[in-house]
Structures are given as C-alpha cells and as structure tokens.
Amino acid sequence: MSWMPLVLTRRMVFTLSGVTLAGACASPKASGGSPDSPARAARSDAARDRALAAEADLLARYDAALALPAVAADSALTAKLTAIRAEHASHAAAIRDGYQAGATPAPTGTPSSPAPSSSTNSPATPSGATTAPPDAKSALAALIKAEQDAADARTADILAADGGTAMLLASVAASESGHAALLLGGAA
C-alpha cells in the first residue's frame, strides 16, 4: 500500500466547514460558551473586522450596479442582484451579531472594478471601494471578481480565527463562492 498525499480543494474545505458548522449548531456550547457572553461581545477580532469591511464593500458594489440604467432595465438581473445584495446584508448582520467591532479597516486588496470615466451618477462608496463600471456586462464581471476575492479572503481568514468565528466565516465564504457561480450563470 502506497501513501498518497491529500490535496485540499476549495470544495473539500467548504464541505468540511459545513460539517463543522452543522455540529456547532447542534451544540451551542461548542464554541466555548454562551453566544451572548460579555467576553464575546467585548472582544475585537481582526478577521471579523476584515469581513465586515468586505461586506460593506460588496454592498456598495451591488448598490452601484443596481443604480445602472442597463441593469435596471433587465428585471431578471435586477431581481438576482437584489437577492444577492440582501444576502450580503444578512452576512454583515450575522458577523456583527454579539460582536463589538474595532475600527473597521478599509477593504484590503486591490479594487476589482475600474473607475468609471465620469463621476456623474456615482453613488458614494466606502473608502477604498470603486463604483460600478458603466455597463451591465462589465458591472457583472466586476461583481463576480469581487465575490471570488471575498470568498478567497474569508477562506484565508478561517485559519486565523477562533472556532465560532471560523465557522461563521466558512459559511460566508461558501455563500460568496455560490454568489459568484450564480452570477456566472449557474443555477441557484
């Protein structure tokens, strides 16, 4: 019998994190105590701060894309983007739940969408974020890239986070990866 090294794929990481998340949901004490404990509420954690900043950036990107006339004219695309935006709002709420964030840093990494050629009709975005490209196809490509980058960043943060935060970030990363697939034309 020969030894074969195990190669972890993104799918395997998400599957394992899903199993871990399911186990944690079955036992509220699994993450080290009550979810409403004062120690958890007062603790600041860099991974959550980055996740909150990333969710704010994604929300701003979706708002900018939804404000485009070409996107507004396509009711199916508008419905899809609105639903994904609502999921990002719920991600942000879940990340903030029972957590007192430190000074939220600006999103890390390079902006994934180019700045529009004119500043008219550009919605306000958080520091470091860019507005949506001027056409629907470019906006969709920028959203896909932003979702993929966010999923990768949350996956990297899992390794440095405590148990409860790691499970939450795994769930968010899996969702963001699913959003990218949905935007690429996959079935929901």
Side-chain angles (χ1 to χ4, degrees):
M1 183 164 124
S2 66
W3 182 80
M4 288 183 57
L6 178 65
V7 177
L8 289 178
T9 63
R10 183 182 291 189
R11 182 176 301 223
M12 290 172 62
V13 170
F14 290 141
T15 301
L16 291 172
S17 62
V19 170
T20 304
L21 181 61
C25 290
S27 172
K29 298 275 184 188
S31 63
S34 167
D36 297 324
S37 69
R40 179 174 179 229
R43 193 177 79 220
S44 178
D45 154 345
R48 280 193 188 223
D49 289 342
R50 285 189 299 274
L52 283 170
E55 290 303 320
D57 178 55
L58 286 166
L59 286 167
R61 288 175 185 272
Y62 277 91
D63 288 342
L66 286 165
L68 292 172
V71 172
D74 184 344
S75 61
L77 181 57
T78 299
K80 185 185 293 189
L81 296 183
T82 300
I84 294 172
R85 189 209 178 280
E87 288 185 21
H88 282 294
S90 70
H91 294 169
I95 293 166
R96 276 191 302 269
D97 184 36
Y99 171 72
Q100 180 155 1
T104 303
T108 59
T110 58
S112 59
S113 63
S117 58
S118 104
S119 62
T120 59
N121 296 330
S122 296
T125 58
S127 174
T130 59
T131 57
D135 63 279
K137 185 175 179 180
S138 297
L140 201 55
L143 288 173
I144 291 166
K145 175 80 169 103
E147 290 283 4
Q148 291 168 336
D149 290 347
D152 290 345
R154 297 302 65 79
T155 301
D157 281 342
I158 290 168
L159 299 174
D162 66 11
T165 301
M167 289 185 286
L168 175 62
L169 295 178
S171 177
V172 170
S175 181
E176 289 167 342
S177 185
H179 294 159
L182 180 62
L183 292 172
L184 280 168

